[in-house]
Amino acid sequence: MQYRILGRTGLRVSVIGFGGIPVQRISTEEAKRVILKAEETGVNFLDSARGYSVSEEFIGEALVDRRGKWIIATKSMARDKASMARDIEISLKNFKTDYIDLYQFHNIRTKADLDKVLSEDGAYTALLEAKAAGKIGHIGITSHSVDLLKIAVETGKFETIMYPYNIVENQGEELFRRAMELNIGVIAMKPMAGGAIENGTLALKYILENQCITTAIPGMAEISEVEENARVADNVTPLTADEKQNINKIIDGLGKEFCRRCGYCAPCTQNIDIPSMFVLSGYKERYNLAAWGEERYFSLQNRAKDCIECGVCENRCPYNLPIRTMLKKVRKTFNE
């Protein structure tokens, strides 16, 4: 296993981390076996979130008596001080630990969101107090908006960023270079494009060839996935000509109907969060997290069924995606 330093945190993390979303669909014992297998291969970084239902708890059970071998990262959607302070305590209890190495803001979307968390009674204050108390070690931020993260990295407030990066989604490369200049750790989420990329080995090789990336966090719920991913990290080599050709084929195949969640389609005339429609559809179709995806989808007031096919979103999309057709497929996925 190869390791890189996670920016100015100074943490030495495995180039392949453990993504905590898929453990929701397996049992506690299965999760423990998978996590211990990851530890055997040299993986030492894992990422979860308050919003991943039982993920934190299952990971906590697996790390009993093994806490010192792992660097734990998690995140919260809290935006105010009181809510974040509460979530930190819940995370500590779930992980059965008295400290969390990296606590992140989960999916900051807009400048208004960022301003809120950085305000006097915002969630950032709670993280600073938790850091002073030794409950957390470092502070990070995650987002699906490259423009938002370009602002965030210049504030000096964050030690790490997390953003999608994979064969189809490479719009963050300029951001990653700037983060490296600022000594900010870069965590690549969605390395398999939400399960859309089937060749996991090729997907990870592509990511790790970029020296601006500190670690990639593929979701893992099976021993075979751990073994395949770890093999890539054991020997990070340059992409071959054949592999680059295969990458171009993947881009050609997925690029026509793959949402990069850039947000340029917004605002929808019917107030539909269009990128979220495709993310939640992917959770049900490819992540095998049907119940979780459905719960989150149907909790939204405005959904794919509310599309009036005005086409405004398609005119804004920089990737020329057939969004109206894609939303019809989302409706079929959720049987509405």
Side-chain angles (χ1 to χ4, degrees):
M1 178 64 64
Q2 296 191 18
Y3 300 85
R4 294 175 183 173
I5 301 300
L6 189 63
R8 60 176 177 265
T9 71
L11 297 170
R12 182 174 178 268
V13 300
S14 50
V15 293
I16 298 296
F18 188 95
I21 291 181
V23 298
Q24 298 171 90
R25 67 172 185 253
I26 58 180
S27 69
T28 307
E29 285 304 311
E30 289 173 320
K32 184 174 182 178
R33 284 195 290 271
V34 172
I35 290 170
L36 292 185
K37 182 62 180 180
E39 182 185 301
E40 288 177 15
T41 67
V43 174
N44 73 344
F45 178 80
L46 59 81
D47 175 80
S48 185
R50 292 290 310 112
Y52 297 167
S53 65
V54 296
S55 175
E56 287 186 339
E57 296 168 83
F58 281 13
I59 292 170
E61 289 291 338
L63 299 192
V64 171
D65 299 325
R66 320 190 68 78
R67 173 66 183 90
K69 297 179 179 292
W70 287 89
I71 294 168
I72 297 176
T74 196
K75 44 197 179 288
S76 166
M77 290 290 294
R79 302 298 187 243
D80 62 89
K81 179 180 177 182
S83 298
M84 180 61 83
R86 182 172 60 248
D87 271 0
I88 292 169
E89 295 301 324
I90 294 171
S91 293
L92 289 169
K93 180 180 179 182
N94 286 344
F95 285 122
K96 301 182 186 299
T97 186
D98 58 1
Y99 74 99
I100 291 166
D101 300 277
L102 174 64
Y103 216 98
Q104 305 156 103
F105 291 100
H106 195 171
N107 197 17
I108 299 292
R109 296 187 176 195
T110 65
K111 180 63 163 54
D113 270 350
L114 182 62
D115 290 342
K116 170 62 178 175
V117 301
L118 294 180
S119 64
E120 185 177 351
D121 59 351
Y124 191 85
T125 301
L127 290 182
L128 285 179
E129 291 181 358
K131 187 174 182 179
K135 294 180 179 181
I136 69 170
H138 306 280
I139 299 173
I141 183 172
T142 84
S143 181
H144 288 281
S145 168
V146 70
D147 292 330
L148 184 283
L149 287 179
K150 284 180 179 179
I151 297 171
V153 297
E154 301 297 339
T155 65
K157 302 286 188 181
F158 307 103
E159 297 167 271
T160 67
I161 59 171
M162 181 187 292
Y163 184 75
Y165 186 54
N166 54 62
I167 289 170
V168 195
E169 297 177 274
N170 56 15
Q171 64 272 14
E173 290 184 344
E174 179 185 347
L175 166 69
F176 303 152
R177 287 191 291 271
R178 180 57 178 157
M180 191 175 192
E181 290 174 358
L182 296 171
N183 199 21
I184 294 173
V186 178
I187 304 165
M189 64 167 153
K190 302 290 186 292
M192 312 298 178
I197 300 172
E198 296 179 357
N199 188 334
T201 296
L202 183 60
L204 292 176
K205 282 196 67 174
Y206 173 85
I207 294 168
L208 297 183
E209 190 172 57
N210 188 336
Q211 292 299 309
C212 296
I213 303 298
T214 314
T215 183
I217 50 169
M220 293 181 267
E222 299 178 9
I223 296 292
S224 59
E225 293 172 339
V226 174
E227 292 173 336
E228 178 183 358
N229 295 339
R231 279 195 293 270
V232 179
D234 285 340
N235 186 26
V236 180
T237 56
L239 292 164
T240 66
D242 286 343
E243 287 172 332
K244 290 178 180 178
Q245 186 175 7
N246 287 335
I247 285 171
N248 288 332
K249 289 179 181 178
I250 292 172
I251 293 171
D252 289 341
L254 290 178
K256 297 179 178 65
E257 285 197 14
F258 186 83
C259 174
R260 278 85 167 171
R261 299 178 291 278
C262 66
Y264 294 131
C265 57
C268 168
T269 59
Q270 302 304 302
N271 295 316
I272 301 168
D273 184 345
I274 294 171
S276 289
M277 298 297 99
F278 305 131
V279 170
L280 295 175
S281 179
Y283 282 136
K284 181 172 181 179
E285 289 184 304
R286 300 189 295 270
Y287 266 78
N288 194 23
L289 290 168
W292 189 59
E294 288 177 356
E295 179 183 0
R296 300 179 79 187
Y297 179 79
F298 287 109
S299 70
L300 298 172
Q301 183 175 353
N302 303 93
R303 304 191 297 272
K305 67 177 180 58
D306 298 306
C307 174
I308 60 172
E309 300 189 50
C310 65
V312 173
C313 56
E314 292 184 2
N315 291 330
R316 296 188 184 127
C317 178
Y319 301 100
N320 300 311
L321 299 180
I323 296 174
R324 289 172 287 185
T325 299
M326 293 165 66
L327 286 173
K328 289 178 182 178
K329 293 180 180 179
V330 173
R331 292 188 65 179
K332 288 182 180 179
T333 297
F334 289 100
N335 300 311
E336 70 166 0

